[in-house]
Amino acid sequence: MGNRTPLAAVLTANSISTAGTSLTLIGVPWFVLETTGSAGRAGLVAFCATLPIVVAALIGGPVIDRFGRRRTAVVSDAVCAAAIAAIPLLHFAGVLHFWMLCALMALNGFAHTPGNTARYVLVPDLAEHAGTTLPRAASLFDAVSRGARMVGAALAGLLIALVGAETVLLLDAATFGLSALLVGAGVRGVRAAEPRKAEAPVSLRTYGTELREGYAHVLGNRLLLAVVVMVMFMNGTDQGWNAVLLPVHAEAELGGAPAIGLLTALFGAGGLAGALLYGAVGHRFSRRAVFTVCVILCGAPRFLVAAVTGTTLPLAVTMLLGGVAGGVLNPILTTVVYERVPDRLRSRVSGALTAGCEFAMPVGGLAAGLLVEGAGATGALLAMGGVFFLATLSPLVFPSWRTLDDAPGAGTAREGQGVRPVREGPGVRPVREEPGTEPAPDEPGAEAKPAPDGPGAAAKPVPDGPGAGAKPVPDGPGAGAKPVPDTPGAKAGAQ
């Protein structure tokens, strides 16, 4: 029996942080609508909050490894706590200007991404440390996140109605602080969580080389590219839904913030059920078949239902069922990423995945605000829902998705040049047939991981995961920062 304390600490910290993210996801747009009355300004705040997420993901992978995953998670949460707490405190003092709100949300987004990625990439090592299987740990990580999102959303809608959005933001700041304490105290004695000794002196050149390794791993694999492009559009439209479309629709048709909390909580409940269901029986079915059906059902229907009805019940049922479908996505993508990305590259690849998957999020929130003001709420819902639906057809159209069912390492010979599988001990790993190239040693407990060959190494199909960060599917009824969106159809990625 292994030591389960580090894994339990990360799972608990992530669930608390995710619950707080739900408070921000609902509290900030409602705060902007209450104080400015402008959907366009709500979209601008969403743009300022998400653009730094993409920037941090683009450049942050090597920093996480050098600084240490545990230390990164703690510092990230501490900075986010200060940024979120400053919003209501400045408002209470009567000195909060709109540009300050945008700047604080930008700081929160920039600081949050490295910490979220650090927790995510620790899961495989903590699973081994705890003596549990990787698929079980990945499903548990996603399930507790979704459960926390459900609870946080329900509390956000209720608390906004009772005590106001400002108090909700203070509570969110407290969740960041508690998350930092849990990781700092609970994740000790885990080698993968500590800073790595640099293989070369720190310089812009070595940093750039390490950064390029992560992107080369993603660009060298067609499945990963297909995932990134699909989730990029899903996360962008999800951000528009969360930051603008749902708050505007709820204010005009559904009775206000409590309806947002109810709908988001129902989606979270469905996501929790879907993640647990896949963890229990998902291994019996084709990953590609399950993923294709669920990704089409998870998000686009809610845009259509919201556009054609002004009552809560139809949308509530749609969100619940969409959540069940969405809950299946991240466990699939996360497991694939964990199986096939070498630990040495995991932070860098997760950063690259997160950057690609969340690239359209800043534009999504801004576009939704402009569409509402230019074409009305119904037109905006139909337009963004159409984009979401077209994106989810990707698994039916592109052949690269067929490799989603491949065993770890199975795609190496097809996607790499001069690479052959060689059996060594318990696993199979690819080896380059080039003079002078030494095979990378298998890590303990690793299952068929590809040996990285530098920036040109061929990448492998990857499953869900946050976000990762990134995790390629959005979080919450639409946020995401993981490779898969965790919202009614997609990681990302707020906390």
Side-chain angles (χ1 to χ4, degrees), residues 86-105:
I87 296 173
L89 293 177
L90 291 172
H91 178 70
F92 290 142
V95 295
L96 179 66
H97 298 289
F98 183 71
W99 69 265
M100 295 180 182
L101 174 62
C102 292
L104 289 169
M105 289 303 295

Side-chain angles (χ1 to χ4, degrees), residues 52-320:
I53 293 177
V54 178
V55 174
L58 282 169
I59 65 176
V63 173
I64 295 171
D65 288 335
R66 292 180 180 273
F67 194 60
R69 294 167 181 175
R70 172 175 163 271
R71 191 184 300 171
T72 299
V74 172
V75 173
S76 169
D77 282 341
V79 174
C80 290
I84 292 296
I87 296 173
L89 293 177
L90 291 172
H91 178 70
F92 290 142
V95 295
L96 179 66
H97 298 289
F98 183 71
W99 69 265
M100 295 180 182
L101 174 62
C102 292
L104 289 169
M105 289 303 295
L107 175 61
N108 176 69
F110 187 81
H112 169 71
T113 301
N116 195 46
T117 301
R119 288 192 299 269
Y120 170 69
V121 299
L122 272 173
V123 171
D125 298 283
L126 298 184
E128 182 181 347
H129 206 68
T132 189
T133 65
L134 181 55
R136 181 174 298 174
S139 294
L140 186 60
F141 184 86
D142 192 62
V144 297
S145 298
R146 290 180 180 277
R149 191 172 302 114
M150 172 186 65
V151 173
L155 285 175
L158 181 62
L159 290 174
I160 287 173
L162 293 177
V163 298
E166 298 89 343
T167 304
V168 169
L169 294 180
L170 286 175
L171 182 58
D172 181 25
T175 65
F176 274 117
L178 184 55
S179 174
L181 289 174
L182 282 168
V183 174
V187 186
R188 293 182 180 275
V190 179
R191 184 178 178 182
E194 300 307 319
R196 294 187 178 182
K197 295 181 179 179
E199 298 175 359
V202 179
S203 67
L204 287 177
R205 181 176 181 179
T206 58
Y207 183 87
T209 298
E210 293 175 3
L211 196 63
R212 285 194 298 273
E213 282 185 313
Y215 286 94
H217 202 79
V218 175
L219 294 173
N221 184 280
R222 293 180 181 179
L223 175 61
L224 283 182
L225 285 176
V227 169
V228 167
V229 172
M230 181 188 73
V231 177
M232 178 181 68
F233 284 101
M234 291 172 67
N235 281 345
T237 49
D238 259 335
Q239 178 66 11
W241 168 268
N242 285 325
V244 179
L245 298 179
L246 180 58
V248 168
H249 181 64
E251 184 183 41
E253 305 285 351
L254 306 180
I260 302 177
L262 172 64
L263 293 170
T264 307
L266 286 172
F267 179 79
L272 174 60
L276 292 174
L277 183 64
Y278 184 80
V281 300
H283 61 281
R284 302 178 184 176
F285 305 97
S286 160
R287 286 177 179 175
R288 185 190 177 210
V290 171
F291 186 90
T292 300
V293 172
C294 289
V295 78
I296 292 174
L297 297 177
C298 70
R302 67 196 147 110
F303 290 89
L304 177 62
V305 171
V308 300
T309 182
T311 56
T312 302
L313 182 59
L315 186 56
V317 173
T318 304
M319 294 282 280
L320 178 63

Side-chain angles (χ1 to χ4, degrees), residues 389-446:
F389 176 70
L390 290 175
T392 59
L393 295 179
S394 174
L396 292 173
V397 175
F398 296 103
S400 55
W401 285 94
R402 296 171 188 165
T403 61
L404 193 63
D405 284 318
D406 286 356
T412 303
R414 287 196 304 272
E415 299 192 23
Q417 294 183 355
V419 180
R420 56 185 175 85
V422 177
R423 180 160 299 279
E424 294 214 354
V428 177
R429 60 191 174 87
V431 179
R432 287 225 173 247
E433 293 180 332
E434 294 176 5
T437 302
E438 294 296 328
D442 285 324
E443 296 173 14

